[in-house]
Amino acid sequence: MGGPTTTSTEEDYLKVIYQLSEHARSQVSTSSVAQHIKTSAASVTDMLKKLSVKGFIHYEPYKGARLSPAGQRLATILVRKHRLWETFLVQKLDFTWDEVHEVAEQLEHIDSDKLVDRLDHFLGYPKYDPHGDPIPNAEGKFTLRDQTILSKVPTGA
């Protein structure tokens, strides 16, 4: 992936910050990361400092963290790999959509661009994973679609 090397734990933190910031559209608090990862705020603070030194996040004590451009790129790659693996597991290995998350969590840490590119090709360049979430393409771009809240859909539609 180039740049500083990362551990799978560091990658997990980046992905959590990415996911939480998608909804918040702002800095992510230490406590929200701690709650999501199920660890102490002190452990999260230590990791955020490490990720900041490596240039993956911008961290402000007592305010939170946001991804740097490098962190955004890496997090998007992790999301891409995770969602491609989920798609593979459902389409080719007959896992159910509710069984794939934990296995994909492990597989997303394989560091091989060639493998991911071939997996994407093998699957026919899917745009969405089995849960309906968009899969970023090799350039990190998402295909978004219009969605309607189920409660807003007319009965019988």
Side-chain angles (χ1 to χ4, degrees):
M1 283 186 232
T5 60
T6 55
T7 66
S8 60
T9 301
E10 290 170 335
E11 290 176 352
D12 288 340
Y13 272 80
L14 291 172
K15 200 168 83 166
V16 165
I17 294 167
Y18 173 85
Q19 291 166 337
L20 291 172
S21 66
E22 263 188 321
H23 303 293
R25 299 280 184 222
S26 63
Q27 287 187 320
V28 174
S29 71
T30 302
S31 60
S32 63
V33 174
Q35 183 178 15
H36 197 83
I37 294 181
K38 296 178 178 59
T39 192
S40 72
S43 294
V44 172
T45 297
D46 289 344
M47 181 59 77
L48 295 181
K49 288 176 183 176
K50 287 179 189 175
L51 292 171
S52 180
V53 167
K54 287 187 172 188
F56 291 117
I57 65 168
H58 301 288
Y59 171 64
E60 294 181 65
Y62 309 107
K63 292 188 178 180
R66 61 184 166 78
L67 294 172
S68 68
Q72 181 77 30
R73 271 190 306 281
L74 182 53
T76 302
I77 289 167
L78 291 165
V79 167
R80 171 178 163 73
K81 291 193 290 185
H82 183 95
R83 292 177 181 173
L84 283 171
W85 281 118
E86 285 186 336
T87 302
F88 174 77
L89 292 167
V90 168
Q91 289 183 3
K92 305 302 180 186
L93 298 183
D94 296 324
F95 279 74
T96 60
W97 68 269
D98 59 331
E99 295 176 311
V100 297
H101 182 74
E102 291 305 317
V103 178
E105 282 289 320
Q106 296 169 35
L107 293 168
E108 73 188 27
H109 298 292
I110 297 171
D111 187 18
S112 172
D113 293 339
K114 188 174 188 176
L115 175 63
V116 174
D117 291 342
R118 288 191 179 182
L119 179 63
D120 194 20
H121 173 77
F122 177 75
L123 294 169
Y125 306 100
K127 304 268 188 249
Y128 304 96
D129 74 4
H131 306 104
D133 294 319
I135 300 171
N137 66 17
E139 290 77 41
K141 305 290 184 215
F142 291 84
T143 300
L144 302 178
R145 58 180 159 196
D146 291 331
Q147 295 180 326
T148 304
I149 297 172
L150 189 57
S151 63
K152 304 284 184 195
V153 176
T155 303

